[in-house]
Amino acid sequence: MRLFTAVFPPEGVLDHLDLAIHGVTSVGASPRWVPRENRHVTLSFYADVPEGAVDDLVEELAGVAGKHGPLDLRLRGAGSFGSRVLWIGVDGDVGTLRDLAEDCLAASPREVPEDVKPHRPHLTIARARAGQVRPPRGRDRWGKRRSAYDGGRGGGRAATSSEVVRDRFAGARSELEPAAHALSVYAGPPWPVGEFALVQSRPGEGAQGGPRYTVLETFDLRG
């Protein structure tokens, strides 16, 4: 089972964020927006948990919740991971949030790969559509290096200077960049976090071919 722990913002916080996202979409940004009900701040991810180990994981996480008290968060700023993922940043008791995330990770029944360990707290709001992920500067759509001679077009003529400049600019720009820039000044309302959830993810079963999330258990922060 693919499981993770997460904090889900309350409805009022999501309402405020929706207003900001609407302002971005009205000026032409068109990534694949994460459905409202799926927006969350990940604490830890457990790649493959046997069904027989879930009860033990729930018990471990209940112990984690008993050691941590409520905290205050707010959504602030924005950015992107490469040209694929658009995120909103997290502000407030971030140090306390990281401590909680580390303890949730330590509850894993299996060794967790380095690439899924928690890093910067964030809330993913959009992903680039398949045709919008552009290659790195200087490479074509298949990852092959372009030359100034063919201008990335595969033809047998020298590219004009304007074509070379245009190709370089296109290769450096992400489709998510305008939305990330527009949301970089975003500041949402603060909210008290009193619980976190253990969630099952079923890839490809949700809206727009994304994952479907099912909350298996919630844990009150009572430390």
Side-chain angles (χ1 to χ4, degrees):
M1 300 175 67
R2 295 169 63 91
L3 305 178
F4 63 92
T5 54
V7 169
F8 287 87
E11 293 298 315
V13 170
L14 294 177
D15 289 342
H16 193 278
L17 178 59
D18 276 341
L19 291 174
I21 290 175
H22 178 73
V24 171
T25 58
S26 67
V27 296
S30 59
R32 181 163 56 90
W33 297 101
V34 173
R36 175 187 171 109
E37 64 273 14
N38 282 4
R39 295 173 194 160
H40 65 274
V41 179
T42 300
L43 296 175
S44 59
F45 179 75
Y46 314 113
D48 294 298
V49 178
E51 287 193 29
V54 174
D55 287 345
D56 290 339
L57 177 58
V58 168
E59 184 176 349
E60 289 289 330
L61 292 174
V64 170
K67 297 192 303 181
H68 293 268
L71 58 148
D72 294 312
L73 297 179
R74 71 184 304 178
L75 302 177
R76 181 192 292 271
S80 61
F81 296 133
S83 59
R84 297 179 180 274
V85 175
L86 176 65
W87 50 263
I88 295 291
V90 177
D91 198 5
D93 295 331
V94 175
T96 305
L97 183 70
R98 287 199 182 100
D99 290 342
L100 174 60
E102 290 290 345
D103 283 350
C104 286
L105 191 68
S108 174
R110 291 186 173 184
E111 181 68 23
V112 178
E114 185 67 32
D115 62 351
V116 298
K117 292 185 178 181
H119 297 288
R120 175 186 301 193
H122 66 278
L123 184 146
T124 297
I125 59 170
R127 292 179 173 84
R129 297 182 186 276
Q132 292 179 335
V133 178
R134 293 179 174 174
R137 180 195 299 268
R139 293 185 182 274
D140 63 20
R141 61 187 295 187
W142 296 278
K144 296 179 181 179
R145 187 172 298 279
R146 292 195 298 261
S147 70
Y149 179 78
D150 63 17
R153 293 166 179 76
R157 64 174 178 82
T160 66
S161 59
S162 62
E163 287 171 337
V164 172
V165 170
R166 184 169 63 247
D167 279 353
R168 287 180 178 175
F169 178 78
R173 185 178 176 85
S174 164
E175 293 289 346
L176 298 178
E177 184 180 335
H181 178 74
L183 292 168
S184 63
V185 297
Y186 176 75
W191 85 91
V193 178
E195 66 178 24
F196 67 92
L198 175 65
V199 186
Q200 181 178 6
S201 174
R202 292 184 173 90
E205 295 186 13
Q208 305 175 39
R212 178 161 64 91
Y213 296 151
T214 303
V215 174
L216 302 182
E217 193 76 44
T218 57
F219 306 90
D220 293 333
L221 297 171
R222 58 187 189 278

